[in-house]
Amino acid sequence: MTAVEAPHDVWTKVIGQPVVVAELREAVANPAAMTHAWLFTGPPGSGRSVAARAFAAALQCPEGGCGHCHACRTVLAGTHADVQTVVPEGLSIGVDWARELIRIAGRAPSQGRWQIVLVEDADRMTEQASNAVLKMLEEPPPRTLFLLCAPSLHPDDVSVTIRSRCRVVGLRTPPVDAVADVLVRREGVDPALAAWSAAAAGGHVGRARRLARDEVARLARKVVLDIPLSLVSLSACLDAADELVSSAKEEADQAAAALDGAETEAVKASLGVGARGPGISASRGGAGVLKELEKKQKSRATRLGRDSLDRALVDLAAFYRDALVLAAAGDQAPSLSHPDRRADTEELARRIGAEGALRRIDAILACREALEQNVKPQIALEALTVALRLPQA
């Protein structure tokens, strides 16, 4: 097992993005020319929220991001008093959250040089929330910075008016070799497993780390990639849809259970629920607080399930993409998204051809869109697997 490398400055967390790091370093070094709003964009796994957090740490650090001082450590840990990080847990970010954000942003920094508001997944803001944030961006408080993260500059992800008031930092998917190197040096992963995980994850750092560390994640990926060649009948299609939906629900339930129990107990303790002794009484309105928490947890569980399904659909789309390039280019095909399943993708390419692969990729994208529009997962997945069905031999 390779020894795990100790971290250096905060910029080492931004993997395979030298141009972005250089741009952010220059901004830190010139506070007089600081832009009050930044928009970090990039595909899933590009590290947009990691880059934003490293930037926030460097801005609060007296040395521009040493990685060792109190400011750096607390920002990276999410506990710095002047860096408010918003990580949406539900399906969307509503206007109530936006109003709270505006209240926080109006405060003067108490410890650091800036009051920083970092919003991960800003594309989940509702229209009303976006409008509230826009007003704040138009008249920003002094010494306050907004760091927004979104997948792209498309109007579906971030409104044109918000985009026009931000300095855009575009990230790309890190090279597979860079991700594998990080797994080896920082995580102590075996080099062979690190290389496989990085390639299988398509450069997505978090997914690569999970595949390298979790046997269950590797098995779940295998189940998904076994589906295309199994769709030989209508019953097989419906069984595959059931498998995808049930697996996503099981994964979401496990993740939610790990969060919900401790969260609920902490709230009950703060309300005095179940406490005994003289002078102790439960807070009034406790039932309403617990009901609101339950609503939040239900929304989070739904999001976790959708995220799990989306990961499966991304893997499937990449599998059909491999079949497409093999059907079109044969032995001259570029590198594959799932190189360890080349034999299966060659068989799939032979059976459906380039046009069939392209149609199936379109069906997967349509399914993702349907899920975003709150179509019932069982219905959306059944329609998809039927569309993916193999032609009769």
Side-chain angles (χ1 to χ4, degrees):
M1 183 71 71
T2 305
V4 179
E5 181 186 87
H8 297 294
D9 62 34
V10 298
W11 304 110
T12 60
K13 295 184 175 297
V14 187
I15 301 169
Q17 314 282 348
V19 175
V20 168
V21 169
E23 179 182 357
L24 297 179
R25 279 183 183 275
E26 183 179 356
V28 172
N30 295 279
M34 178 58 62
T35 305
H36 73 279
W38 296 71
L39 177 59
F40 292 78
T41 66
S46 61
R48 56 182 184 262
S49 59
V50 173
R53 193 182 294 272
F55 185 43
L59 287 167
Q60 302 290 27
C61 174
E63 299 181 26
C66 67
H68 305 292
C69 69
H70 177 74
C72 284
R73 287 186 284 105
T74 53
V75 172
L76 295 177
T79 58
H80 195 286
D82 296 324
V83 179
Q84 312 300 324
T85 302
V86 180
V87 183
E89 295 182 329
L91 296 175
S92 62
I93 299 174
V95 68
D96 290 341
W97 163 86
R99 290 171 181 149
E100 175 65 13
L101 174 63
I102 291 170
R103 186 188 66 80
I104 294 171
R107 300 189 306 216
S110 61
Q111 297 179 8
R113 295 183 290 178
W114 304 93
Q115 179 70 246
I116 299 175
V117 178
L118 194 167
V119 184
E120 297 187 13
D121 298 324
D123 53 300
R124 294 188 189 176
M125 290 191 294
T126 63
E127 183 178 357
Q128 294 88 345
S130 294
N131 290 338
V133 170
L134 176 61
K135 291 179 181 178
M136 177 64 75
L137 295 182
E138 289 173 339
E139 299 179 6
R143 315 289 309 164
T144 295
L145 300 178
F146 295 88
L147 311 181
L148 309 178
C149 304
S152 74
L153 295 177
H154 192 281
D156 287 346
D157 288 336
V158 59
S159 71
V160 175
T161 48
I162 287 181
R163 182 184 67 188
S164 67
R165 287 161 176 78
C166 297
R167 180 171 171 178
V168 178
V169 178
L171 290 91
R172 59 185 178 85
T173 302
V176 170
D177 290 346
V179 175
D181 182 60
V182 167
L183 292 178
V184 172
R185 290 188 296 105
R186 297 186 195 170
E187 307 287 336
V189 176
D190 177 79
L193 179 57
W196 176 85
S197 300
H204 189 302
V205 181
R207 181 83 192 282
R209 183 180 292 113
R210 187 161 178 254
L211 287 172
R213 292 294 191 189
D214 189 352
E215 177 67 22
V216 174
R218 294 195 288 271
L219 291 174
R221 171 181 177 269
K222 180 182 182 303
V223 168
V224 170
L225 298 185
D226 284 345
I227 286 175
L229 289 177
S230 73
L231 302 177
V232 295
S233 66
L234 179 59
S235 62
C237 293
L238 299 180
D239 288 344
D242 284 340
E243 176 70 21
L244 287 170
V245 172
S246 60
S247 295
K249 185 178 185 305
E250 181 179 356
E251 182 179 345
D253 288 346
Q254 290 175 352
L259 297 169
D260 293 353
E263 194 174 57
T264 301
E265 289 304 315
V267 171
K268 285 183 177 180
S270 69
L271 295 171
V273 177
R276 296 289 186 273
I280 295 177
S281 62
S283 300
R284 292 183 178 179
V289 173
L290 289 172
K291 186 174 181 180
E292 185 63 28
L293 175 63
E294 184 180 348
K295 180 180 177 182
K296 170 189 167 186
Q297 291 173 341
K298 184 177 180 180
S299 177
R300 179 171 62 198
T302 301
R303 169 52 59 183
L304 289 170
R306 297 282 177 86
D307 288 347
S308 178
L309 276 178
D310 195 62
R311 284 192 295 271
L313 293 177
V314 169
D315 278 343
L316 278 177
F319 194 83
Y320 283 101
R321 176 263 181 195
D322 288 350
L324 173 62
V325 297
L326 286 171
D331 292 338
Q332 304 302 316
S335 59
L336 302 180
S337 300
H338 299 292
D340 57 321
R341 303 296 294 257
R342 186 182 182 101
D344 289 339
T345 49
E346 286 177 342
E347 171 64 14
L348 189 63
R350 184 187 67 80
R351 298 183 66 173
I352 65 176
E355 182 181 350
L358 190 58
R359 282 202 313 270
R360 286 163 174 81
I361 292 172
D362 287 340
I364 294 170
L365 297 178
C367 181
R368 294 183 74 193
E369 184 176 348
L371 290 172
E372 284 298 319
Q373 294 174 351
N374 292 324
V375 173
K376 189 176 180 181
Q378 187 72 34
I379 295 174
L381 268 295
E382 287 179 356
L384 172 63
T385 52
V386 171
L388 299 181
R389 183 175 173 177
L390 291 172
Q392 295 296 320

